[in-house]
Amino acid sequence: MTKAEEFQELRPLLFSIAYRILGSVSEAEDAVQETWLRYQATSTRPGSARAFLSTVVTRISIDVLRSARVRREEYVGPWLPEPLLTDPYEDPARSAEMADSLSMAALLLLERLTPLERAVFVLREVFTFGFPEIASAVGRSEAACHQLAVRARRHMDAGRVRFEADRKEREKLAERFFDAFREGDLDGLAELLAADVHMIGDSGGKAPQFKPVILGAENVLRALATFVPLVIRSGGVVEPQQVNGQPGSILRDRKGQVLSAWALDVLDGQIQTIRTVNNPDKLGHVGPVADAWEALREANQAHRPAE
């Protein structure tokens, strides 16, 4: 097998590692590309391409994360991961765990860890790497990696978000939510919201945005009562999708261009959290991105009575 063939076979794994460490599709793709360039430049063939490439992509991702964290501290409003519609790496025996490790909630918890803790947690808990492999990947002793894993697991367990155990039930409830959204059925939306529901929006200051964080069913419903008619009047399309392994949707304008990505946390038959990624810089990998300001102007003009 050639180097190129080995790399292509392992590329899904490398991207999935990088994305969970970085929370960014574009940065993960760049890390994978840099990994290929380094592999291509090596004069010798490593004993294990998987071990070598996993080490390289992990180290690149750690370095990128360290600089990215400085930028995220200056980010306008709440920061959410770039939405991922499909995880290229599949492990049928652990499909539920893999999906939950991709969730917005899990990635936001990972943001609380140091870059090394995050890398160790991802390699150990998500991809079940052994400690010798992890130690090689992060450049620390096995004993140090054990300690990093324990600290990371403690932090993650303390803040872990519970999801509806039955994935089909999650999807059914999300389907009801987005059906009510499309139909402008505010009563239907209201009955699906938990009393303490959170609605969190990431616009990065580059797209129309209600309050960045809206708390409570009454306030969230009030925001939806304003937003839903705008989407309907402007000919917007609600496209159900798995977003980061959880039920969600892509909102498109009447031309089919992407306006935002929505992800729902569902528990006990109700929606606990609605996260919306509206920053156009985070949506380009989903498809052509709409001018959300123009879509808003068109919707408001459609609502304005004729003189």
Side-chain angles (χ1 to χ4, degrees), residues 52-72:
F52 177 85
L53 292 169
S54 298
T55 292
V56 174
V57 82
T58 297
R59 292 187 178 184
I60 291 171
S61 297
I62 289 171
D63 289 341
V64 172
L65 181 60
R66 285 176 174 141
S67 60
R69 296 186 89 157
V70 176
R71 297 194 302 273
R72 290 173 193 177

Side-chain angles (χ1 to χ4, degrees), residues 215-237:
L215 306 178
E218 183 177 339
N219 293 327
V220 169
L221 189 63
R222 189 178 297 118
L224 291 172
T226 302
F227 179 70
V228 169
L230 289 175
V231 175
I232 294 170
R233 285 199 303 269
S234 65
V237 175

Side-chain angles (χ1 to χ4, degrees), residues 129 162 182 190:
F129 278 46
R162 291 192 303 128
R182 277 189 291 262

Side-chain angles (χ1 to χ4, degrees), residues 113-220:
L113 306 181
T114 68
L116 278 178
E117 287 173 344
R118 184 165 182 165
V120 169
F121 183 88
V122 166
L123 293 176
R124 179 63 180 169
E125 300 294 331
V126 180
F127 296 97
T128 63
F129 278 46
F131 279 105
E133 293 177 284
I134 296 171
S136 174
V138 302
R140 295 292 188 275
S141 68
E142 287 187 45
C145 289
H146 275 282
Q147 291 177 337
L148 288 165
V150 168
R151 285 204 302 268
R153 193 179 302 115
R154 188 184 303 127
H155 285 304
M156 293 297 287
D157 288 345
R160 192 178 299 277
V161 175
R162 291 192 303 128
F163 297 116
E164 191 78 49
D166 190 326
R167 298 188 68 82
K168 289 184 178 179
E169 288 302 314
R170 292 189 222 176
E171 291 168 5
K172 285 180 183 177
L173 190 140
E175 183 179 356
R176 287 172 58 198
F177 177 85
F178 289 116
D179 282 346
F181 190 114
R182 277 189 291 262
E183 294 164 8
D185 179 5
L186 296 177
D187 290 337
L189 291 171
E191 69 181 26
L192 299 175
L193 301 176
D196 59 350
V197 62
H198 288 44
M199 187 171 182
I200 302 165
D202 174 349
S203 71
K206 298 182 178 183
Q209 179 73 58
F210 292 108
K211 290 181 180 179
V213 180
I214 304 173
L215 306 178
E218 183 177 339
N219 293 327
V220 169

Side-chain angles (χ1 to χ4, degrees), residues 225-300:
T226 302
F227 179 70
V228 169
L230 289 175
V231 175
I232 294 170
R233 285 199 303 269
S234 65
V237 175
V238 180
E239 177 186 288
Q241 284 275 3
Q242 288 286 306
V243 177
N244 286 76
Q246 303 300 316
S249 71
I250 302 300
L251 266 61
R252 300 181 183 272
D253 68 5
R254 58 186 176 81
K255 300 174 186 176
Q257 297 177 317
V258 179
L259 286 165
S260 65
W262 291 43
L264 309 180
D265 289 352
V266 176
L267 182 65
D268 298 332
Q270 292 184 305
I271 294 168
Q272 307 290 329
T273 310
I274 303 169
R275 294 185 178 88
T276 69
V277 179
N278 313 303
N279 184 341
D281 294 345
K282 295 186 174 185
L283 299 170
H285 61 283
V286 178
V289 179
D291 182 337
W293 296 105
E294 180 61 28
L296 180 61
R297 283 192 292 270
E298 290 179 359
N300 284 327

